[in-house]
Amino acid sequence: MLLSLTIRDVVLIERLDLAFPAHLSVLTGETGAGKSILLDALGLALGMRAESGLVRRGAQQAIVAAEFDIGPGHAARAILTEQGIDAEDTLVLRRVLGADGRSRGFVNDQPVGVGLLKQLGDTLVEIQGQFEQRGLMDPANHRTLLDAFAGARDMGDAVRTAWQAWRGARDAREAAKAARTKAAADEEYLRHALSELDALKPQPGEETLLAEQRARLMHSAQVAEAMTAAAQELAGERGADHALNVAARALERVRDKAGGVLDGAIAALERALVETEEARAALDQAMRDHERDGDLESVEERLFNLRALARKHGVAVDGLADLRDDIARRLGMLEDGEAGLKRLAKDEAEARARYTAAAERLTRLRQGAAQKLDRAVQAELAPLKLDRARFSTTIAPLAPDDWGADGAERVAFEVATNPGAAPGPMTKIASGGELSRFLLALKVVLARVSSVPTIVFDEVDSGIGGAVAAAVGERLARLGQELQVLVVTHSPQVAARGRHHWRVAKNQAKDTTVTRVESLDEAERREEIARMLSGASITEEARAAAQSLLAAGAA
């Protein structure tokens, strides 16, 4: 719900801080006092269109901040998480509008685009009567509202799941069909490419091994000469191992006479003999491997053939083996492609049938809920002086190509204001005053399933009075039991129903005019309602009538 609204330098408002309670709050005041400025200011914070004319004359910028309490399951939290903004218990939307018409948005003091303010605002406040095509007036919301009234959440989820499965099966079949068509067009090329790859039999990692082998073979003579020389130095009568053995035997003969002085040298010689033997064995193995390396010409031929084939297909040499498997798979699609397509078509048909069944169940639920909604709204219309009007929920089937995750029909709330007239969209059929009352009746019926916790009505009582105004006030108060409701009104019957009452007035000085907003106590409320009843000259009769209205509203 809306907790507070802070306004700085908006039109006639220099500085204003308002705290909003729950239930029904009313704003009253003489025409031109500036009540609409409050809604303009709130609209700024909610991301609505900004104009430089909203900046107070002489000020550099206008600032509006709206603070909201958002519960654990509020839709705004998901939007904040998606944007990487920490969701706290309270949410502050702030808009700064410069005199040049440029504006900046902030969410919890983090700079954001104005579009995000509007996206969040749509989950927080619904303004009826001033901004068209929002909330209940937006046909795009009607299907969602009907589903909420019908309690169709689980069934709607089932339809969305079935739709995604059907779409996935359809995409898989179409992708397989396109791949098979392309494979058929490229069959001759694919078979030639597979033949080349099979003839060469490339192996992963082969390029590195061949490159290393080629490097060795390019210096084969030098390497062989060095290995031979090393082997000769290690072996033979004048070799290293012969010398080490002679030295070790000489020391061993006098070891017992040296008193342990030669033990370290003898141990080192023994280790050297072992290391020398290991070196000779490793060198022998290297010489045998060198002999098996093959000839440079054949190694270079294979390496260059692999690299040429890789360039031809635009892949790395190590990717040739995978390319071969992919080409074989594509050719396999031609051989078993028809059977595979039939399997995928069967999967798609089954997924479509599951979606159709789920969508039909949702349609029946919507149809039943639409009848209940129409009866409930119709019952609210007569007391609102709309007894000749008719409200209807239209459920129109969509063409199969237009079916989607939300089902197979379009939902629209329509009205007819005269008997026998064809129903049509509320915004086109109803006048301003009628539209507000239609929306009020609909909102009262949908209050318990509303996803938006705060609703603002701008002069919902336009053009009515007496018993009809009293009926409007009674319904607004009832709506206030479920939601936070703010009403701009000229009707004393509506004003008397409020839990909280503000009066909007102008202060005119020599050079300036400033709008102020005052919170009224009970005595001040009675005076304000009496003024609304009798005009500038307040009579005792008007005060008595105001007291009567207040008493009826409190009952």
Side-chain angles (χ1 to χ4, degrees):
M1 60 175 275
L2 177 63
L3 298 177
S4 65
L5 183 64
T6 301
I7 304 174
R8 298 289 184 270
D9 296 320
V10 175
V11 193
L12 300 178
I13 298 175
E14 183 176 3
R15 183 183 184 91
L16 183 62
D17 298 285
L18 296 177
F20 292 85
H23 306 301
L24 173 62
S25 298
V26 298
L27 285 91
T28 62
E30 295 182 357
T31 300
K35 298 184 294 298
S36 63
I37 298 174
L38 291 174
L39 299 188
D40 288 337
L42 177 59
L44 275 180
L46 297 176
M48 296 181 188
R49 183 178 177 181
E51 297 179 358
S52 60
L54 292 175
V55 179
R56 188 173 64 86
R57 185 177 179 183
Q60 295 299 311
Q61 61 183 19
I63 303 174
V64 181
E67 182 181 14
F68 298 88
D69 176 30
I70 54 174
H74 197 286
R77 288 183 175 271
I79 298 174
L80 293 173
T81 300
E82 183 180 322
Q83 296 295 322
I85 300 174
D86 292 336
E88 303 173 3
D89 291 337
T90 58
L91 173 64
V92 178
L93 306 185
R94 181 161 59 93
R95 185 89 169 270
V96 179
L97 174 63
D100 59 0
R102 297 180 181 179
S103 72
R104 292 171 290 149
F106 300 85
V107 173
N108 288 350
D109 288 329
Q110 294 190 41
V112 299
V114 174
L116 180 59
L117 288 184
K118 185 178 185 303
Q119 188 180 3
L120 288 167
D122 286 343
T123 71
L124 296 164
V125 180
E126 189 174 307
I127 301 180
Q128 302 291 358
Q130 183 184 23
F131 303 98
E132 292 189 359
Q133 300 305 316
R134 289 174 60 84
L136 296 179
M137 287 186 285
D138 187 351
N141 295 330
H142 293 175
R143 183 164 52 193
T144 301
L145 291 167
L146 178 62
D147 286 352
F149 180 76
R153 178 177 180 178
D154 291 344
M155 198 170 292
D157 289 344
V159 169
R160 276 184 287 276
T161 299
W163 164 254
Q164 291 166 358
W166 177 24
R167 184 174 59 182
R170 182 189 61 197
D171 291 347
R173 179 190 59 77
E174 290 178 350
K177 182 180 179 181
R180 185 174 185 271
T181 300
K182 189 175 188 310
D186 298 340
E187 182 177 5
E188 183 177 350
Y189 162 76
L190 292 174
R191 294 197 182 280
H192 174 71
L194 183 62
S195 176
E196 282 186 320
L197 288 163
D198 281 346
L200 203 55
K201 293 184 175 58
Q203 301 298 320
E206 188 177 5
E207 181 184 23
T208 300
L209 295 176
L210 288 171
E212 293 172 352
Q213 188 178 4
R214 176 174 178 261
R216 290 195 304 271
L217 290 171
M218 289 176 70
H219 306 285
S220 176
Q222 292 176 278
V223 172
E225 182 180 348
M227 287 191 294
T228 300
Q232 289 173 351
E233 291 295 329
L234 290 174
E237 291 185 0
R238 299 182 63 82
D241 55 350
H242 175 73
L244 290 170
N245 274 311
V246 170
R249 285 196 298 271
L251 294 177
E252 281 288 350
R253 284 196 293 269
V254 295
R255 184 175 190 172
D256 57 348
K257 298 176 182 178
V261 173
L262 298 175
D263 290 349
I266 293 170
L269 286 169
E270 290 173 348
R271 290 195 300 272
L273 280 166
V274 173
E275 292 291 336
T276 301
E277 181 61 30
E278 290 181 357
R280 188 168 57 243
L283 186 56
D284 289 343
Q285 182 62 48
M287 293 174 72
R288 289 192 294 270
D289 291 343
H290 185 70
E291 292 174 355
R292 290 196 296 267
D293 256 352
D295 64 282
L296 178 61
E297 183 178 351
S298 62
V299 170
E300 284 187 333
E301 182 181 5
R302 179 161 181 81
L303 179 61
F304 296 159
N305 285 340
L306 286 170
R307 288 176 173 173
L309 193 58
R311 286 195 299 272
K312 178 179 179 180
H313 291 288
V315 299
V317 172
D318 282 348
L320 287 173
D322 290 337
L323 175 64
R324 186 267 171 207
D325 292 341
D326 181 62
I327 290 175
R329 179 189 60 78
R330 293 166 67 185
L331 287 170
M333 290 176 59
L334 293 176
E335 298 167 1
D336 188 41
E338 194 62 36
L341 285 177
K342 287 181 179 178
R343 287 194 300 271
L344 291 173
K346 181 182 177 184
D347 292 343
E348 180 187 358
E350 290 175 350
R352 184 183 192 278
R354 287 191 292 270
Y355 169 79
T356 301
E360 287 175 351
R361 289 192 294 271
L362 181 58
T363 298
R364 289 192 293 271
L365 181 63
R366 284 171 172 166
Q367 289 170 339
Q371 294 177 4
K372 295 178 182 178
L373 178 64
D374 292 350
R375 288 195 296 268
V377 174
Q378 200 65 41
E380 298 288 338
L381 296 181
L384 296 175
K385 202 178 179 181
L386 292 170
D387 47 306
R388 294 169 59 82
R390 181 166 55 91
F391 175 89
S392 63
T393 303
T394 300
I395 299 178
L398 295 169
D401 287 346
D402 295 325
W403 291 352
D406 293 319
E409 57 270 333
R410 181 182 295 106
V411 176
F413 298 151
E414 297 183 337
V415 298
T417 54
N418 296 303
M426 288 186 289
T427 53
K428 294 183 178 180
I429 300 297
S431 64
E434 291 173 334
L435 177 60
S436 294
R437 282 176 279 154
F438 273 119
L439 295 173
L440 175 58
L442 184 56
K443 199 65 184 177
V444 166
V445 174
L446 294 174
R448 281 187 172 83
V449 299
S450 176
S451 61
V452 179
T454 300
I455 183 168
V456 178
F457 283 97
D458 184 11
E459 299 187 5
V460 65
D461 51 5
S462 176
I464 60 172
V468 178
V472 169
E474 187 274 330
R475 279 152 181 78
L476 288 169
R478 196 194 325 161
L479 186 59
Q481 297 299 317
E482 304 289 341
L483 304 170
Q484 182 187 43
V485 181
L486 178 63
V487 180
V488 176
T489 182
H490 288 289
S491 167
Q493 291 89 344
V494 172
R497 288 283 184 169
R499 289 282 191 93
H500 192 80
H501 193 152
W502 286 288
R503 179 174 57 212
V504 183
K506 284 183 182 178
N507 276 350
Q508 293 183 330
K510 182 177 181 180
D511 297 322
T512 61
T513 300
V514 177
T515 291
R516 70 177 192 276
V517 180
E518 303 169 326
S519 179
L520 305 183
D521 59 24
E522 285 301 312
E524 291 168 333
R525 286 191 71 193
R526 188 187 66 174
E527 286 297 296
E528 173 66 4
I529 293 173
R531 180 197 64 77
M532 296 170 73
L533 286 166
S534 64
S537 178
I538 302 176
T539 64
E540 288 304 316
E541 291 81 0
R543 290 190 176 94
Q547 187 62 46
S548 177
L549 287 176
L550 288 168

